[in-house]
Amino acid sequence: MHTTRDLSVALASGLNDADATVQSMPDASPVKWHLAHTTWFFETFLLRDTRSDYRLFDDKWPFLFNSYYEAEGARLARPHRGMLTRPTLEHVLAYRAHVDAALERAWSDLQEHHAALLELGLQHEQQHQELLLTDLKHLFSCNPLGPAYREEGPAPSTSVAAELRWLEGPSGARTFGHTGEGFAFDNEGPAHMQWLAPHALADRPVTNREWCAFIADGGYETASLWLSDGWDWVRDEGVATPLYWRGEGEPEARETFTLSGWHPIDLDAPVTHISFYEADAYATWAGARLPTEQEWEAAASGQAATGGVQLDRAEAVQPRGENPEGDFASLYGNVWEWTGSAYRPWPGFRPAPGAVGEYNGKFMSNQFVLRGGSCATPRGHVRATYRNFFHPHQRWQFTGLRLARDL
């Protein structure tokens, strides 16, 4: 528990109360809201619901820090989270300390009788650690001063991206989804059989250098490359580059905003902060397609999920090029990889009873699946069956792509 809970506090270290309060867009949440919401989860579902002697830290706070659990009653609307000038960051940290102390006192009993719910709370907090960083990055990017979350710049790529290679994937009937060993979120199961047609995956993600070629070739100006909704989005929003890019002309003249401020684009690093629409358009331009989530899972099943560029400490994370581990580079870490698969339940899926059953199932519409984790994902959090999901226009997460093609 301490490793996970302490990392959240470390991620907020060095921020002032204003940094932790402001909300830059409705999709994002303030830092102190993340710190309080993850604490509310433990207080509500573990302490309030299992400890008869526990008293809420403040009986008004559940309204502030419930996210989307209808079973828990009314809550503050998401776009208004940035209006919470009170409680202060200091008060929220006191809330965390209060709940942590109560969890410590009840630890043995919670582990014996509520271990699954306790693990869910810790995994939930790890998800919010990534969101805390990506939401803060978006907030700081809106500041004309380009402030740095951490002064130390992102680590450079450790290798020059080699020419892309195609690796044939397995085909035929295969088992997908979580098999029941170890923790998994409910949307990862149940395990089931599906058929894979012959296909191949790229050995690495698409790089910034390759994306610059897409831009130079008129990729954002060619309607035939885009899905209809994507082309409408490009024109309505004036999209011409990945999020956080600036500059024109030669690739070396472009810069990107990072958690340590503005820096030249690392041309050998995986491209990131792209929408599903952009990923799909690039794949079309490249004469390929996005992988299905089953194709991705089949490739990743033999890879170490703890490898790659992932979050180990409170620092200014950024994707970087790396040497392959086995056949593939960066299947885990660096960037969440868009798939061409709609986010829908696996065959036989049933949400859990009660409020925690709202965790994933009710969001299974109008979104696409991403796989693999990112540089902001806490190391050890993801696995081959892990399913992330976002709407096709969203790109403030560390999102990228790996190409696939039919054989």
Side-chain angles (χ1 to χ4, degrees):
M1 181 184 82
H2 288 296
T3 300
T4 299
R5 296 283 287 166
D6 290 350
L7 178 58
S8 297
V9 175
L11 289 171
S13 66
L15 301 177
N16 61 38
D17 202 70
D19 294 335
T21 298
V22 178
Q23 180 179 18
S24 56
M25 63 173 174
D27 284 339
S29 296
V31 167
K32 71 181 181 186
W33 188 90
H34 286 296
L35 295 174
H37 166 70
T38 51
T39 303
W40 167 87
F41 190 96
F42 284 109
E43 181 181 56
T44 300
F45 299 126
L46 279 157
L47 296 175
R48 184 202 66 183
D49 287 356
T50 71
R51 315 301 298 174
S52 60
D53 59 342
Y54 181 78
R55 297 294 177 266
L56 296 180
F57 181 79
D58 188 311
D59 60 10
K60 297 183 180 68
W61 284 25
F63 177 82
L64 303 181
F65 300 123
N66 175 11
S67 54
Y68 51 70
Y69 294 91
E70 299 288 349
E72 288 299 316
R75 61 196 179 277
L76 182 71
R78 183 173 183 173
H80 297 161
R81 291 172 184 170
M83 304 298 289
L84 296 177
T85 58
R86 306 288 179 88
T88 64
L89 176 58
E90 181 181 14
H91 203 182
V92 167
L93 293 174
Y95 175 40
R96 289 181 65 89
H98 171 86
V99 169
D100 285 352
L103 290 171
E104 285 277 11
R105 291 191 297 270
W107 190 254
S108 296
D109 180 71
L110 292 174
Q111 281 195 311
E112 182 178 355
H113 297 105
H114 307 284
L117 193 53
L118 186 61
E119 182 63 28
L120 177 62
L122 294 170
Q123 297 285 333
H124 167 255
E125 180 138 353
Q126 288 184 316
Q127 291 181 317
H128 277 272
Q129 289 165 349
E130 179 161 4
L131 291 170
L132 186 155
L133 285 172
T134 54
D135 290 357
L136 184 67
K137 181 176 182 178
H138 188 270
L139 171 64
F140 279 10
S141 78
C142 296
N143 188 326
L145 299 177
Y149 163 68
R150 295 286 188 267
E151 293 299 332
E152 184 178 355
S157 292
T158 55
S159 66
V160 175
E163 183 177 354
L164 185 148
R165 295 184 302 122
W166 292 99
L167 301 175
E168 184 175 355
S171 58
R174 291 183 63 88
T175 299
F176 297 96
H178 187 65
T179 59
E181 298 178 7
F183 175 83
F185 289 106
D186 60 355
N187 66 350
E188 298 177 53
H192 59 285
M193 297 289 292
Q194 291 196 8
W195 184 269
L196 282 185
H199 67 279
L201 294 187
D203 67 328
R204 59 166 175 78
V206 171
T207 66
N208 287 315
R209 191 187 308 275
E210 290 164 331
W211 201 271
C212 286
F214 171 69
I215 295 173
D217 197 42
Y220 283 95
E221 302 160 6
T222 307
S224 59
L225 299 175
W226 295 80
L227 297 170
S228 178
D229 286 349
W231 185 240
D232 289 344
W233 172 77
V234 164
R235 291 185 299 169
D236 291 347
E237 301 297 328
V239 176
T241 67
L243 186 63
Y244 305 134
W245 282 30
R246 72 180 183 187
E248 298 179 351
E250 294 300 314
E252 291 78 8
R254 296 182 182 272
E255 292 184 314
T256 186
F257 187 78
T258 74
L259 282 163
S260 58
W262 288 99
H263 289 275
I265 290 173
D266 183 345
L267 295 175
D268 291 302
V271 67
T272 191
H273 298 301
I274 58 170
S275 67
F276 170 84
Y277 295 137
E278 291 167 284
D280 185 81
Y282 181 95
T284 301
W285 174 79
R289 60 173 173 81
L290 298 180
T292 67
E293 62 171 318
Q294 293 89 346
E295 290 168 345
W296 191 98
E297 185 175 319
S301 294
Q303 306 287 317
T306 54
V309 181
Q310 301 185 48
L311 180 68
D312 294 307
R313 54 192 169 273
E315 61 181 351
V317 295
Q318 185 73 7
R320 62 180 183 268
E322 58 175 350
N323 293 315
E325 294 186 7
D327 292 332
F328 292 97
S330 300
L331 268 176
Y332 292 103
N334 254 332
V335 293
W336 286 102
E337 298 180 5
W338 284 108
T339 73
S341 299
Y343 180 50
R344 293 292 295 150
W346 286 142
F349 170 80
R350 295 290 184 274
V356 294
E358 299 183 49
Y359 201 104
N360 286 306
K362 70 181 185 179
F363 300 111
M364 291 177 172
S365 68
N366 302 321
Q367 306 198 66
F368 283 84
V369 174
L370 303 95
R371 292 294 194 115
S374 82
C375 57
T377 305
R379 193 176 303 278
H381 179 67
V382 293
R383 60 208 141 262
T385 57
Y386 195 107
R387 308 173 76 201
N388 201 356
F389 51 94
F390 282 97
H391 292 284
H393 68 281
Q394 292 175 318
R395 58 182 191 158
W396 90 107
Q397 299 301 302
F398 287 103
T399 50
L401 81 154
R402 182 184 304 268
L403 297 175
R405 67 183 185 187
D406 300 319
L407 294 180

